[in-house]
Amino acid sequence: LHMLGGLDTPTAGKIFVGNTELSALKSEEAAVFRRKQIGFIFQNYNLIPVLSVWENIVFPISLDRQKPDRRFIMEIVKLLGLEKKLDSLPNNLSGGQQQRVAIARALAGKPSIILADEPTGNLDYQNAIEIMKLLKRINRRGTTVVVVTHSQELVDEIGGRVITLDRGRLVSDEVRGGHTDEL
């Protein structure tokens, strides 16, 4: 995900997102491109401890001096069950709630790509399914969603296009459930 998200540069070859070659961008250009086009959901949340839940969600948008789409963000907040936590600081949240804030932050800027590294790792199974369904809905609305997971149960439950890698090598690439435009 680091390569695809432009966080690392390839030693050979090129990575394109749309018509933009990521490795050709200067550091500041790459940072702006990532903020506007790519939503990251990491295993370790990367929340800013001194900012409230709401401030963490809208922080990347504010870096570009954009006005957050409050209605859209509140829809996400409600889907994630965070509406009563908007004024809380991250250290007052459970691990699962912190992960939900990270997911809301990734979706808030309406990126064209969501890169999710174990986005449900700190959630119970039912909440994990709900998060995967949310990501699937986002995908159906036109956002490319790439999820990395070790959970075969989630893969089996959600389906979509499943690419299996083993030690960096492609093992299989299959469409499950008859949909080519889903996760």
Side-chain angles (χ1 to χ4, degrees):
L1 290 182
H2 284 235
M3 278 278 194
L4 186 56
L7 296 172
D8 290 333
T9 19
T11 54
K14 298 176 182 178
I15 297 174
F16 285 86
V17 174
N19 293 326
T20 302
E21 183 185 346
L22 294 183
S23 55
L25 297 176
K26 293 180 179 143
S27 181
E28 180 64 27
E29 293 171 325
V32 171
F33 180 83
R34 281 191 300 272
R35 275 198 314 267
K36 291 183 176 184
Q37 298 297 321
I38 302 173
F40 291 96
I41 304 170
F42 295 109
Q43 282 178 294
N44 59 352
Y45 324 127
N46 292 332
L47 300 178
I48 301 169
V50 296
L51 298 181
S52 71
V53 165
W54 176 259
E55 292 165 333
N56 265 285
I57 292 170
V58 300
F59 182 71
I61 298 167
S62 67
L63 288 174
D64 290 319
R65 294 182 172 82
Q66 300 295 315
K67 186 176 180 180
D69 182 341
R70 189 170 183 81
R71 195 158 125 184
F72 176 74
I73 294 170
M74 286 308 295
E75 178 185 338
I76 293 167
V77 164
K78 286 178 186 170
L79 282 169
L80 295 172
L82 293 170
E83 58 269 14
K84 293 181 180 177
K85 299 291 185 182
L86 292 176
D87 294 325
S88 298
L89 294 176
N91 66 350
N92 293 325
L93 303 174
S94 69
Q97 289 169 328
Q98 289 181 52
Q99 183 68 307
R100 290 169 185 271
V101 174
I103 290 167
R105 180 186 54 206
L107 298 174
K110 302 178 186 174
S112 55
I113 299 173
I114 296 286
L115 300 177
D117 182 7
E118 296 285 356
T120 60
N122 292 313
L123 303 175
D124 63 58
Y125 182 74
Q126 191 55 47
N127 283 319
I129 293 296
E130 290 305 313
I131 294 301
M132 294 301 283
K133 286 180 180 178
L134 172 65
L135 291 173
K136 197 170 188 175
R137 265 185 265 148
I138 295 294
N139 177 246
R140 285 184 181 145
R141 292 180 183 170
T143 302
T144 298
V145 178
V146 178
V147 177
V148 174
T149 184
H150 291 95
S151 172
Q152 190 61 48
E153 281 182 294
L154 282 178
V155 171
D156 293 341
E157 182 74 28
I158 300 303
R161 183 174 179 187
V162 178
I163 299 171
T164 305
L165 302 174
D166 184 12
R167 287 170 269 193
R169 298 204 182 274
L170 179 67
V171 174
S172 67
D173 182 354
E174 61 183 299
V175 176
R176 297 181 182 181
H179 301 286
T180 57
D181 63 340
E182 296 178 20
L183 293 176

